Amino acid sequence: KEEIEEVNRGERSNDYKTLLQEKLQSVTKEKIEYMVTRETGPDHDKEFTVSVSVGGRHLGDGMGKSKKAAEQSAAKNALASIDL
């Protein structure tokens, strides 16, 4: 969990998706999948909800104003919920 705090403080250049990938690669070869599960709002002000899973196992969800931001949020939430 220390790595998450380092990213939060800007002390670590890796993003949450990279950090999640690094953590999961140490225990599985399964592919990490990000899927947009919801889009709300008008075209000029969308909000996306993304789900992240590995090997069919749901790890977390996230929201953001772009798909990329929602994926980062989902990865951050997944990192907080898994214990590696």
Side-chain angles (χ1 to χ4, degrees):
K1 305 299 184 223
E2 183 176 325
E3 294 99 335
I4 297 171
E5 291 304 314
E6 290 173 359
V7 173
N8 287 340
R9 293 190 302 265
E11 297 170 3
R12 187 177 174 109
S13 62
N14 292 350
D15 57 35
Y16 297 110
K17 286 177 66 175
T18 301
L19 188 56
L20 179 63
Q21 182 174 338
E22 289 171 354
K23 291 282 189 185
L24 290 175
Q25 281 179 340
S26 68
V27 294
T28 184
K29 298 291 183 205
E30 300 267 0
K31 183 181 173 198
I32 301 170
E33 296 183 69
Y34 292 89
M35 181 175 17
V36 175
T37 57
R38 187 171 178 208
E39 288 182 37
T40 58
D43 286 343
H44 68 279
D45 192 25
K46 287 257 188 226
E47 183 158 85
F48 298 90
T49 302
V50 168
S51 175
V52 60
S53 62
V54 65
R57 181 175 155 228
H58 178 261
L59 300 178
D61 296 301
M63 295 173 64
K65 288 291 187 181
S66 68
K67 291 176 186 176
K68 184 175 179 176
E71 289 173 352
Q72 287 290 333
S73 177
K76 181 180 179 181
N77 291 333
L79 283 163
S81 71
I82 59 175
D83 188 26
L84 297 177

